[in-house]
Amino acid sequence: MRIATVGDNCMDVYQASGQVYPGGNPVNVAVYLKELGADSAYIGWVGSDTYGDRMIQAIREKGVDTTHLSQKDGTTAVTYVELIGNDRSFGEYDEGVTANFTLTEEELDFIATHQLVHAGIWGHVEGYYSLFKEKGLSTCFDFSDQLDHSLVKTLSPFVDYAFFSYKQDDAYIRQFLKEVNSVGSKIAVATLGENGSLAYDGGQFYQYGVVEADVVDTMGAGDSFISGFIYGRLKGLSINECLKLGTETASKTIRYFGAW
């Protein structure tokens, strides 16, 4: 199983403690997929600073393919994080060199050697999704909590597995997932925090609850859910089994500080 994740990365800086952890949606997904047993590659840019060195080393140590992780002149992206209880609140975000991220023809050819490609809403990768589909790739995209973003309508036709973050199972999110499916996504999924998860495949809804865990830090929970879900799909599991695997994967992530 070969999966490529593409786009943004950042160093998560916990302001109160001064601790710094590598992260970013595509990076996290690549790491979690590797831990599940997939061959994962991360394609992105880091800066020429010490954070960039640290990011490359950390990802490589996890066994993720970093042959197409580039270091550019400038700063690595940084997100400032504050813990409120056990939940994290994102503060200022400096994109650094990732603000100008693009893919080369060689990188596109490399991505095409994989079964599935994943990116997120902050990664500047959306313009390549029609190409990914032309190359025969399965596609996954994390829209985060940006349910009103214009990309939901324009990008979903090229996304097989569309992920969203919401708060509860209600009439609004059910209608929303139906609409995402109707414009092209095969399966639309919403993670609902403490209320579990919900998926729609054009025929029916699927629900799953939560796994009890001692919550230390919720950083990376959504990304690890996505990893479990798409790993399950590529293994041929049912949607219910994928929701279960995503939930179990996320339950491990919230037991420690940082995404991984």
Side-chain angles (χ1 to χ4, degrees):
M1 185 187 302
R2 284 169 53 79
I3 301 169
T5 71
V6 189
D8 56 305
N9 62 77
C10 67
M11 297 301 288
D12 296 319
V13 179
Y14 286 69
Q15 291 178 284
S17 66
Q19 292 293 314
V20 179
Y21 300 94
N25 173 267
V27 171
N28 294 343
V29 170
V31 169
Y32 299 136
L33 281 166
K34 184 65 179 179
E35 291 176 348
L36 285 165
D39 286 332
S40 61
Y42 169 64
I43 299 93
W45 291 0
V46 295
S48 52
D49 52 6
T50 55
Y51 278 169
D53 297 336
R54 189 165 169 180
M55 179 72 73
I56 293 171
Q57 182 181 356
I59 299 170
R60 192 172 289 155
E61 285 177 352
K62 286 294 184 177
V64 173
D65 183 340
T66 58
T67 56
H68 291 75
L69 171 50
S70 303
Q71 204 158 15
K72 304 289 184 180
D73 286 335
T75 59
T76 301
V78 172
T79 299
Y80 293 96
V81 184
E82 181 183 358
L83 272 181
I84 301 174
N86 293 324
D87 207 355
R88 77 269 191 266
S89 173
F90 293 116
E92 186 181 343
Y93 172 51
D94 178 4
E95 281 192 288
V97 297
T98 61
N100 301 308
F101 180 70
T102 56
L103 288 168
T104 65
E105 285 297 324
E106 195 275 333
E107 287 166 342
L108 287 166
D109 288 342
F110 173 70
I111 292 166
T113 66
H114 296 76
Q115 293 168 264
L116 179 144
V117 59
H118 168 78
I121 198 158
W122 313 118
H124 305 291
V125 185
E126 58 271 9
Y128 298 99
Y129 265 67
S130 60
L131 277 174
F132 295 155
K133 292 308 294 179
E134 284 175 19
K135 290 176 181 291
L137 286 159
S138 292
T139 55
C140 174
F141 195 86
D142 182 17
F143 291 90
S144 185
D145 58 359
Q146 305 295 299
L147 278 65
D148 295 326
H149 202 288
S150 60
L151 281 178
V152 173
K153 288 185 177 177
T154 59
L155 188 60
S156 291
F158 305 104
V159 177
D160 294 321
Y161 308 108
F163 289 87
F164 302 88
S165 176
Y166 192 61
K167 56 188 183 297
Q168 63 199 22
D169 181 357
D170 58 22
Y172 170 80
I173 196 62
R174 285 183 171 242
Q175 182 59 33
F176 178 86
L177 294 180
K178 278 188 172 182
E179 289 172 3
V180 170
N181 171 263
S182 72
V183 297
S185 286
K186 290 180 183 176
I187 303 175
V189 183
T191 55
L192 308 172
E194 62 186 17
N195 293 307
S197 55
L198 182 70
Y200 182 72
D201 67 351
Q204 69 180 89
F205 284 97
Y206 304 83
Q207 296 169 281
Y208 197 79
V210 295
V211 174
E212 289 298 319
D214 293 327
V215 179
V216 173
D217 178 9
T218 56
M219 181 72 80
D223 303 340
S224 51
F225 178 94
I226 291 171
S227 305
F229 188 96
I230 59 178
Y231 183 81
R233 286 308 287 173
L234 292 182
K235 281 282 195 183
L237 301 184
S238 70
I239 293 177
N240 277 329
E241 289 171 322
C242 290
L243 292 174
K244 179 175 184 285
L245 182 56
T247 303
E248 289 171 348
T249 307
S251 74
K252 298 172 186 174
T253 305
I254 61 178
R255 300 177 197 212
Y256 52 80
F257 279 103
W260 37 273

